[in-house]
Amino acid sequence: MLSYSAFGLVNVEGAANAVIVTDQMLKIADVSYVTKDTKCGGNCLVFVSGSVAAVTAAVEHVRENPLCKIKASAVVSNPSEEMISIVEQFKARNAK
């Protein structure tokens, strides 16, 4: 199983907004894009990873300087094996 120090999750409406938010987070902190998950209604949940400090900085930046409406956000430090499995399932589904 892969290991992650932290996940940053940001939920926005629309794929274009997801790209904008991802770009902001990648530029502001040493984080890596992991995957995204889309749901009905156009919601898009973006996942980034990195150190807890970097992920926190990235998520806080987009929350405090939004270029679009941020519906929800979270930082998950030291994610459980189950959380990692869920994120890896999203990655696999998007790889198809």
Side-chain angles (χ1 to χ4, degrees):
M1 172 94 22
L2 289 173
S3 170
Y4 295 94
S5 294
F7 285 125
L9 295 74
V10 179
N11 187 18
V12 297
E13 188 170 324
N17 287 332
V19 170
I20 291 167
V21 164
T22 302
D23 183 59
Q24 275 187 294
M25 289 191 291
L26 294 173
K27 287 177 179 174
I28 199 66
D30 187 18
V31 295
S32 300
Y33 171 77
V34 178
T35 193
K36 66 176 175 50
D37 186 49
T38 55
K39 295 290 180 200
C40 300
N43 287 324
C44 190
L45 182 59
V46 176
F47 293 82
V48 296
S49 68
S51 70
V52 175
V55 168
T56 300
V59 171
E60 285 180 358
H61 177 76
V62 297
R63 258 198 328 243
E64 294 170 4
N65 305 285
L67 294 178
C68 63
K69 182 177 180 196
I70 306 297
K71 293 184 157 212
S73 64
V75 174
V76 179
S77 61
N78 192 26
S80 66
E81 287 185 25
E82 293 83 0
M83 179 68 186
I84 294 170
S85 177
I86 291 167
V87 173
E88 291 300 317
Q89 288 174 19
F90 290 158
K91 269 175 70 173
R93 186 170 58 206
N94 286 325
K96 293 179 182 181

